[in-house]
Each structure stands twice: as structure tokens, then as C-alpha cells.
Amino acid sequence: MDILDLTGIDLSKEAPECEPERQFYFIAKARELLHEKEREAGRKLTFCVTTFGCQMNARDSEKLTGILEQIGYVEEENEEKADFVVFNTCTVRENANQRVYGRLGQLKRIKKKNPHMLIALCGCMMQEPEVVEKLKQSYRFVDLIFGTHNIFKFAELTVVCLESGRMVIDIWKDTDKIVENLPSERKFPFKSGVNIMFGCNNFCSYCIVPYVRGRERSRTPEAIIAEIEKLVADGVVEVMLLGQNVNSYGKTLDTPITFAQLLKRIEQIEGLQRIRFMTSHPKDLSDELIEVMAHSKKICRHLHLPVQSGSSRILQKMNRRYTKEQYLALVEKLKIAIPDISLTTDIIVGFPGETEEDFADTLDIVRKVRFDSAFTFIYSKRTGTPAAVMKEQVPEETVKKRFDRLLTEVQEIAKEVCSIHKGTVQTVLVESVNEQDPSLMTGRLSNNLLVHFPASSSVIGQLKEVKLTECKGFYYIGELV
Ligand code: 5AD
Ligand code: SF4
């Protein structure tokens, strides 16, 4: 396949110049092209969007899905049966990249049999020049490659792809543009992610995110509130405010506003019942935010507060800008202000130079905080980050052993912490039918724990009072009150 590199090129003179109008023009155009393809195929054509990685990507995938549905593609769950496959990729750890290459390999075989098939790749991994080079060399059957900064251009790029029949590539290095009001199709009718900011300025030394998601940009409070009001009018009762570091929200706006002030304004939205947010950086978590959380009726009793390591020495090498003692003091303050708060975290094992003593500090902080749950990761070297060139990379064997020890500790504590709610009655948002047993519904507590209880599926999307009768380790069995 020929390659069409669009970086910096204006595609169509007739199309409106301003966004999102321009994308609506291309959605209409893509619809016409799709009709032609459907006539050739003698059937409707389908799409499948597969998401790798975090909640931010999940939200982006809802936007891609919204655009594909507006064009007229029909959703198909099995990517091997779909005519338009989109991989929204993640590159935070090397194994995320490997999974994408693996899945692409399988699709190559299938694409040979389906002449209508298109394959698009987007997301964080595409912001790495080595990845795009590798795709150009060895994955020539891919039709469209774009990145994190121009996801709003998906309709336009789809048109070029359909018209040219060539491999289309459009990667932007960075952007200060935020395009509002594009279509999006929610996975759940009753809850939704809402981006409040994009990018990250922290440059933790192990992390690739600031390089692939660019500099921090906040949406205006007006745009965020208008979006949430629209969602609520459409049946949403819970929102998850999304940003790499929500605590620094609003600092770069023309009229600066703090994250706590934004929360207060969102709390006023009538009909909205629950507010969640992620992720919080410990260095920026203000007293004002703790105060607002403590007094709020809508903000959930859950805080995801990545600690990454318990060793102040390693934290400094990670460029996290807090010490073990400062993190512990913050946790103390949170627990006093909000006694029923659930704390979850991310921990990296095997950061360059991590000694047995440093690791002991990580175990120690885990025992002191007693996290409700923790995501544990083996350090993954990301080319281009400062940590990748640090000496003293820890041998794989040592890391693996430490990882297993940490996981055991984290799980034992989480089980104990989870069990303290036994016998209480809690408000849950009923989210789905239980996968194993369709007579049970699955609901989420304010503190993010799940409970399974007998009920009919008519209660999905509602807030219900549920008694937690039995603790099963990391989740509960309950009954409607
Ligand atoms: N290696 C391992 N884990 C990482 N994370 C980010 N970068 C890396 C890396 N290079 C983890 C951090 C972060 C979470 C989203 O992913 O713990 O909080
Ligand atoms: Fe990565 Fe640190 Fe930014 Fe989180 S805060 S995205 S870990 S650089």
C-alpha cells in the first residue's frame, strides 16, 4: 500500500474551516462513501473499537464510536468479524505495545479474506516515532494511523482513507486545541467519563505520558458544566472527571480556577447524583479539596492516590516531589477529615536503583496506609524517559520476587480492609447484570467496591440501598433493602 503522510496538509477547500463543523461535514461525506461500499458488499458494514489502557482512552473510544455510528457503521463486538477495526492504543508499559502487535498479526490474516476491511490505529503508542516507523515497514496492511492530539479529526481521516485506498498517517507532535461538541456514544447510559484536562506537565522520570499526551490543557469550567448538564438531561447520574493530574486543573486557564472550586460548581448540577475523579497527584492535593470532599454529598468516598514507591530516595529519583513522610501525613489528614474514605494506589516495583531497603519502605508504606486496593506494576523501561538511561537497572529475577511479595501483602490487607463494611447498608449504583449469574445485579458502592445482589435488571442505572451480607474478599454479596 502507498503511504499518504498528511501531517500539516489541508485536505479540502470546500470543507468548513472551523471545528467541530468541519468534522460534521466529513461525517456526511463518509456516510456517502460508506453507502457506496455497502452497495458493493450487499450488506451493512460494521465496526469494532478496541481500547487498551486507561479511562482516558476509554473515553476517547466513546468519541470514536460516536463518530463511526454517525457515519453509519454498525457496532460488532468481535473485532475479527468487523469491517472497520480501530485499536486505541496505550504505551505506558512495554507489554501494552506487545499486545497491539500481537492482535495486529492476527488481523492481517483476516483482512486478506475481507476486501472491505479497514484497520485504524490511534492513541498513545502512535505518538512514538519508532512505532510508526515499524508499522510503515512491517505492517503495511494498516489503513490509518493517527495520534492523541488529532483524535477529533477521525471523520476527516476516514474520508481520506476511503477515497485514497492508501495508508494514511497523521500524527501531531502537540496541540493547544480542544475541540468541543463532537458526537460520542456512551458505553453506559447512566454514567460517563468527562475530560476536564488533557496532557501532563509532571515528567515523572519513568513515565512516557507527558511525551505522548503533551502539555497540560484544561477545558473551561463552562464547557465542562455544559457537557455534564447535557449528560444529566440524557439520563446520566454519575460522572468521572478525567485528567492525568486533576489537582492541577485550571492553573493555565485565562481565568484560573482550582479543582476544588470546579467540584463545588459541578456539585450544584441538579439531577447529578455522584461525582468521581481521577487521577490525583499527592504533591498537588490541597486542603481546599479535602474540605470540599468532606462536605460534599455527591463526591464519592474514594480517592485514587498513586504513591509509586515508599522510599523517599526512589521517589526523588522518580521526580515525584514528595517524600514517604509527606505522603503518610497527607493520608492521615484525609482519614481524619473523611473517615470512611477508600484509598487506592499505583505502585511500581523495580525502578532503577531500587535496593532491598527501598523495597522494604514500599512494603512499610503499604502496611501503614492499608490501601483498599493497589495496582502493582513491574517497572517498564520507556525509551525517551530519563529513567530509561539510569544506571543500575534492577535484574528481572529480583524484581519478579519483590513484585510477588508486594502483591501478597497488598491483597491480604485489601481483603481485611474490604471486610469492615460487612452488615452495613450502602447506596449503590446498579451497573449491570452479573456475568456469571444473571439473577444477580452488580452495583458499585460510593467507595468503589462492587456488590452482587438478587434483583431484576429493571433497576440498572438506579441508586439503591443494599445490605452487604457477605464479604467475598474483594467484593460483596448483598440484598436489596
Ligand atoms: N513502568 C511501570 N509502570 C508505569 N506506570 C507509568 N509508567 C510506568 C512504567 N514505565 C504506572 C504508574 C502510573 C500508572 C498509570 O502506570 O504507576 O500511575
Ligand atoms: Fe505520568 Fe507522572 Fe504525569 Fe502520572 S503524573 S501521567 S505518572 S508523568
Side-chain angles (χ1 to χ4, degrees):
M1 217 189 298
D2 276 354
I3 296 175
L4 192 58
D5 194 336
L6 292 175
T7 314
I9 295 172
D10 187 5
L11 288 171
S12 166
K13 295 273 175 286
E14 330 142 40
E17 273 183 26
C18 57
E19 300 291 3
E21 291 75 10
R22 184 174 172 89
Q23 295 314 311
F24 285 106
Y25 167 92
F26 282 107
I27 287 174
K29 199 154 179 185
R31 203 177 289 147
E32 285 169 22
L33 294 168
L34 178 64
H35 279 319
E36 262 172 52
K37 281 190 83 154
E38 285 178 341
R39 263 196 299 276
E40 277 171 36
R43 60 183 174 87
K44 292 293 272 182
L45 294 188
T46 59
F47 77 92
C48 177
V49 178
T50 302
T51 311
F52 298 82
C54 66
Q55 308 248 10
M56 202 68 97
N57 262 16
R59 181 66 183 142
D60 283 346
S61 290
E62 293 185 342
K63 295 177 186 171
L64 298 168
T65 300
I67 292 169
L68 286 166
E69 290 196 342
Q70 292 268 315
I71 292 174
Y73 281 98
V74 180
E75 187 155 22
E76 159 64 56
E77 285 195 358
N78 181 347
E79 75 195 21
E80 303 203 342
K81 287 191 186 151
D83 300 296
F84 196 162
V85 175
V86 183
F87 284 168
N88 189 6
T89 64
C90 168
T91 187
V92 84
R93 284 170 292 275
E94 184 57 30
N95 56 5
N97 294 40
Q98 291 314 327
R99 276 168 59 212
V100 169
Y101 290 126
R103 298 272 279 270
L104 266 183
Q106 287 167 352
L107 283 186
K108 181 178 186 180
R109 191 172 40 83
I110 292 158
K111 194 176 179 193
K112 279 199 181 129
K113 293 188 213 138
N114 180 357
H116 301 288
M117 189 167 186
L118 289 179
I119 300 175
L121 298 175
C122 62
C124 295
M125 202 176 144
M126 301 307 123
Q127 293 295 140
E128 292 183 276
E130 314 80 70
V131 168
V132 176
E133 216 31 60
K134 178 165 172 169
L135 292 167
K136 277 192 202 166
Q137 299 293 330
S138 315
Y139 294 82
R140 294 294 286 263
F141 56 95
V142 171
D143 301 277
L144 170 60
I145 299 175
F146 57 105
T148 55
H149 302 298
N150 55 349
I151 194 162
F152 70 89
K153 270 182 76 181
F154 182 44
E156 181 167 350
L157 296 172
T158 298
V159 167
V160 187
C161 216
L162 288 169
E163 281 182 336
S164 71
R166 292 156 75 182
M167 182 192 236
V168 176
I169 303 179
D170 191 13
I171 308 285
W172 296 6
K173 280 209 162 50
D174 206 344
T175 186
D176 49 14
K177 205 166 174 162
I178 299 180
V179 178
E180 304 278 357
N181 297 321
L182 277 169
S184 110
E185 185 60 39
R186 293 194 304 280
K187 192 167 164 218
F188 298 96
F190 50 85
K191 69 171 187 176
S192 180
V194 174
N195 299 108
I196 63 167
M197 59 199 300
F198 304 93
C200 181
N201 285 355
N202 286 320
F203 292 95
C204 300
S205 62
Y206 50 81
C207 186
I208 197 142
V209 169
Y211 306 90
V212 296
R213 289 256 174 197
R215 294 295 65 71
E216 227 166 74
R217 284 147 285 145
S218 295
R219 290 175 71 194
T220 63
E222 291 72 26
I224 295 167
I225 286 166
E227 180 178 348
I228 300 176
E229 283 174 343
K230 217 163 133 201
L231 288 167
V232 170
D234 195 35
V236 164
V237 292
E238 176 180 303
V239 290
M240 165 77 90
L241 309 176
L242 298 171
Q244 302 297 347
N245 176 15
V246 292
N247 297 320
S248 67
Y249 169 79
K251 286 184 182 161
T252 53
L253 286 172
D254 291 341
T255 321
I257 154 172
T258 64
F259 179 54
Q261 287 160 356
L262 176 74
L263 280 172
K264 270 187 167 166
R265 289 179 61 178
I266 295 175
E267 173 117 17
Q268 306 296 319
I269 298 174
E270 223 169 289
L272 180 68
Q273 315 256 20
R274 275 184 167 182
I275 304 167
R276 298 185 184 277
F277 54 85
M278 77 188 314
T279 293
S280 292
H281 195 303
K283 80 175 163 62
D284 297 318
L285 199 139
S286 66
D287 289 348
E288 187 195 14
L289 175 63
I290 299 177
E291 171 88 13
V292 169
M293 278 187 88
H295 291 102
S296 167
K297 296 216 167 27
K298 294 186 181 174
I299 302 173
C300 288
R301 280 8 208 170
H302 172 220
L303 197 63
H304 186 64
L305 197 61
V307 64
Q308 312 297 5
S309 167
S311 153
S312 297
R313 199 181 72 85
I314 294 294
L315 285 169
Q316 192 182 14
K317 288 181 75 178
M318 287 178 161
N319 192 30
R320 291 292 288 176
R321 285 172 278 174
Y322 54 84
T323 61
K324 178 186 185 189
E325 290 68 31
Q326 285 167 332
Y327 187 92
L328 284 170
L330 178 60
V331 166
E332 186 65 19
K333 203 154 54 168
L334 278 161
K335 286 186 174 174
I336 290 171
I338 316 163
D340 55 347
I341 195 156
S342 146
L343 291 174
T344 58
T345 202
D346 293 342
I347 303 170
I348 297 175
V349 183
F351 184 83
E354 185 190 75
T355 62
E356 194 50 38
E357 202 183 340
D358 295 316
F359 178 66
D361 269 330
T362 296
L363 287 177
D364 185 56
I365 208 165
V366 163
R367 288 182 191 128
K368 289 204 163 101
V369 177
R370 298 180 60 76
F371 292 105
D372 290 70
S373 89
F375 296 100
T376 48
F377 304 108
I378 286 182
Y379 167 72
S380 170
K381 189 170 169 175
R382 307 316 287 134
T383 309
T385 64
V389 290
M390 285 182 189
K391 295 192 188 76
E392 325 171 86
Q393 303 277 334
V394 186
E396 212 179 305
E397 265 305 290
T398 314
V399 180
K400 190 80 194 44
K401 281 190 194 138
R402 286 182 193 161
F403 180 83
D404 291 343
R405 280 162 67 198
L406 176 67
L407 194 63
T408 310
E409 192 72 36
V410 157
Q411 289 184 341
E412 272 172 22
I413 294 172
K415 257 192 219 161
E416 287 169 23
V417 178
C418 173
S419 70
I420 63 167
H421 307 286
K422 191 175 168 195
T424 61
V425 173
Q426 307 248 359
T427 310
V428 310
L429 175 59
V430 190
E431 294 195 342
S432 55
V433 177
N434 183 293
E435 275 175 24
Q436 271 89 48
D437 179 352
S439 72
L440 299 179
M441 296 300 122
T442 299
R444 196 177 292 273
L445 275 57
S446 172
N447 69 12
N448 216 34
L449 280 176
L450 294 180
V451 55
H452 309 286
F453 55 97
S456 94
S457 60
S458 63
V459 294
I460 291 178
Q462 296 178 19
L463 287 151
K464 290 279 175 199
E465 297 297 299
V466 172
K467 181 166 184 186
L468 310 180
T469 49
E470 198 185 333
C471 181
K472 292 276 193 187
F474 306 109
Y475 63 91
Y476 274 95
I477 299 295
E479 54 196 37
L480 274 173
V481 177

